[in-house]
Structures are given as structure tokens and as C-alpha cells.
């Protein structure tokens, strides 16, 4: 056995290419953060975010209407 047969080829991807792939399909980020002292919840933050690219086909919701 040569030892190379089970090893996958290493593939390097630039950060820009990775971000381009993620934004093309969209990414959903969810998370919960709770700050607790002595078993008392002081602060709770829920995060739900959708990150996606916007093109000319999809208008931006932040454009001013004229």
C-alpha cells in the first residue's frame, strides 16, 4: 500500500472565492447569547440574520422612494 490512496487532494480556496460562493446562495446565521450571573439571566440576545447578495433584479429595501 503506497499510503497516498486514502489521502484527499488538498485544495486551497481564497477567502474572496469562499465569500462569493456563500453570498451567491445566501447564508442564514442564527445564535443565542445569554449573560448569566449566579443562575440569574441578565441579558439574552437572539440573533437571526440572512446574508445574501443583491443584484439589479432584486431592489434594495433601503433605497429612497421618489
Amino acid at each position: 500500500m503506497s499510503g497516498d490512496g486514502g489521502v484527499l487532494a488538498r485544495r486551497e480556496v481564497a477567502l474572496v472565492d469562499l465569500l462569493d460562493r456563500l453570498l451567491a446562495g445566501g447564508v442564514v446565521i442564527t445564535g443565542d447569547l445569554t449573560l448569566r450571573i449566579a443562575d440569574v439571566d441578565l441579558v439574552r440576545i437572539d440573533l437571526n440574520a440572512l446574508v445574501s447578495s443583491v443584484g439589479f433584479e432584486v431592489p434594495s429595501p433601503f433605497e429612497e422612494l421618489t
Side-chain angles (χ1 to χ4, degrees):
M1 188 170 207
S2 65
D4 292 342
V7 177
L8 295 175
R10 184 174 177 183
R11 182 176 168 191
E12 295 185 19
V13 178
L15 181 60
V16 173
D17 293 333
L18 180 63
L19 286 174
D20 184 47
R21 288 183 190 177
L22 290 175
L23 291 176
V27 179
V28 176
I29 302 170
T30 60
D32 298 318
L33 176 69
T34 304
L35 179 61
R36 177 185 293 193
I37 297 178
D39 289 332
V40 176
D41 293 346
L42 299 177
V43 177
R44 181 174 179 199
I45 299 173
D46 294 327
L47 171 69
N48 295 312
L50 172 64
V51 180
S52 180
S53 61
V54 176
F56 290 109
E57 309 84 41
V58 180
S60 172
F62 302 111
E63 291 180 1
E64 292 184 24
L65 299 174
T66 57

